[in-house]
Amino acid sequence: MASLSTSNSTLLMALVVGCVMMAASASNFYQDFDITWGDGRGKILNNGQLLSLSLDKASGSGFQSKNEYLFGKIDMQLKLVPGNSAGTVTAYYLSSKGSTWDEIDFEFLGNLSGDPYILHTNVFSQGKGNREQQFYLWFDPTADFHTYSILWNPQRIIFSVDGTPIREFKNMESIGVPFSKNQAMRIYSSLWNADDWATRGGLVKTDWSHAPFTASYRNFNANACVWSNGASSCKSNAPSSTKGAWFSQEMDSASQQRLRWVRKNFMIYNYCTDAKRFPQGLPPECKNGLSSCPAF
């Protein structure tokens, strides 16, 4: 889907001025990630080209990136747990640390065989979340790998699936909405049991006879500003145009049309239309027809 364009000349200029981007596709999972828990249930395979997480009744597993990032275009291909995955959650997200953390979430809620996965998204800024939007996917995410992307720049956060935008969260600090722009974040992923809430509100429990459950990852790529020792690899005094096209990227008309198509046909929950949840009034980013939370 031709939606978010990238200028090769701009990227070349970025290299010339020394705004170092991390192009992780040329490396591998050994270089970019650490398996952080699971007692061997997380594995890096195929000379670093594939990573798998597994879950059984004793434990799940997870990994995190070696680098922290402050803005970037992050892509990862995932193939989710097949068959009866009810009760399982595969989480893939960016997050900082501390009590006022920032976070950008993809979470895939498993389901009974033949029922669709639910793609759950959320955005936290300064420790405040409650911005859930949920979608069905227009394909079987267990049959093959698909690309899940987060574009995060000072103006917006865009969630995309196979290049199709499904959600945009704009910087609306001008109306008092905090935005993630000062805290570096690592990439995390985990596969874990959440059968107390994940599938139909916890009504459907994990069937451990199908264990181990396995999710797979490949083709990680990060065009991003790496944060290290209190400084960014992107020079602060360089013009934004030299930081790569993603740094000032926004959705063109074709992308906006595709976003509307997704929201009309596949969105199943939007916090911005859940008035019962916010008896004191909807969050400010939901009001006045702001495009981060359009109701279709």
Side-chain angles (χ1 to χ4, degrees):
M1 190 60 54
S3 56
L4 303 176
S5 62
T6 300
S7 167
N8 290 333
S9 61
T10 301
L11 292 175
L12 179 60
M13 187 184 302
L15 294 175
V16 172
V17 301
C19 178
V20 180
M21 301 299 158
M22 180 186 177
S25 59
S27 59
N28 58 51
F29 282 107
Y30 285 118
Q31 295 173 336
D32 297 319
F33 292 93
D34 292 315
I35 306 291
T36 49
W37 64 284
D39 194 24
R41 292 172 179 82
K43 295 181 172 64
I44 297 176
L45 307 164
N46 296 355
N47 296 316
Q49 301 305 303
L50 181 72
L51 189 152
S52 68
L53 296 180
S54 65
L55 163 70
D56 57 34
K57 197 168 186 178
S59 178
S61 51
F63 65 85
Q64 71 179 42
S65 63
K66 295 180 185 290
N67 286 316
E68 292 182 286
Y69 306 95
L70 187 60
F71 304 125
K73 172 68 162 55
I74 311 293
D75 305 305
M76 183 79 82
Q77 290 193 328
L78 280 74
K79 183 163 68 172
L80 300 179
V81 174
N84 181 357
S85 58
T88 72
V89 172
T90 305
Y92 169 62
Y93 59 103
L94 294 170
S95 183
S96 63
K97 295 293 188 181
S99 60
T100 57
W101 77 100
D102 294 337
E103 188 170 312
I104 305 169
D105 292 343
F106 279 112
E107 289 187 287
F108 303 90
L109 312 186
N111 219 325
L112 296 170
S113 299
D115 290 343
Y117 263 79
I118 291 175
L119 172 51
H120 175 102
T121 67
N122 205 350
V123 176
F124 288 77
S125 48
Q126 298 180 20
K128 180 184 181 299
N130 299 324
R131 299 187 177 109
E132 298 89 348
Q133 293 181 1
Q134 295 183 338
F135 307 83
Y136 289 141
L137 295 166
W138 49 96
F139 53 83
D140 179 358
T142 74
D144 203 351
F145 287 89
H146 292 268
T147 303
Y148 301 91
S149 305
I150 294 169
L151 171 69
W152 168 38
N153 65 32
Q155 296 81 37
R156 57 187 44 83
I157 296 165
I158 300 174
F159 297 75
S160 298
V161 178
D162 289 336
T164 295
I166 65 168
R167 178 176 186 176
E168 181 182 32
F169 185 83
K170 291 183 177 179
N171 183 336
M172 288 173 283
E173 291 177 306
S174 61
I175 61 169
V177 180
F179 186 79
S180 305
K181 68 174 188 179
N182 297 315
Q183 300 187 75
M185 296 194 268
R186 292 188 192 275
I187 302 164
Y188 297 88
S189 190
S190 59
L191 175 56
W192 53 291
N193 178 42
D195 66 2
D196 57 335
W197 65 270
T199 305
R200 298 179 186 172
L203 294 177
V204 183
K205 301 301 182 182
T206 304
D207 183 350
W208 295 110
S209 69
H210 294 278
F213 304 97
T214 300
S216 301
Y217 304 73
R218 72 180 187 188
N219 291 345
F220 166 70
N221 187 69
N223 289 314
C225 300
V226 177
W227 186 263
S228 179
N229 297 319
S232 172
S233 64
C234 296
K235 292 185 176 180
S236 60
N237 60 351
S240 61
S241 61
T242 67
K243 292 182 171 67
W246 61 267
F247 195 81
S248 57
Q249 200 165 312
E250 57 186 60
M251 291 198 297
D252 59 19
S253 58
S255 298
Q256 293 170 2
Q257 182 178 2
R258 197 66 175 162
L259 175 67
R260 288 192 292 270
W261 172 79
V262 171
R263 297 176 71 94
K264 179 180 179 180
N265 293 286
F266 300 101
M267 175 177 271
I268 58 173
Y269 178 79
N270 181 2
Y271 77 108
C272 277
T273 61
D274 192 350
K276 292 182 179 179
R277 185 177 172 190
F278 302 100
Q280 304 305 315
L282 292 171
E285 68 266 24
C286 299
K287 301 173 183 177
N288 303 319
L290 294 171
S291 61
S292 286
C293 294
F296 291 104

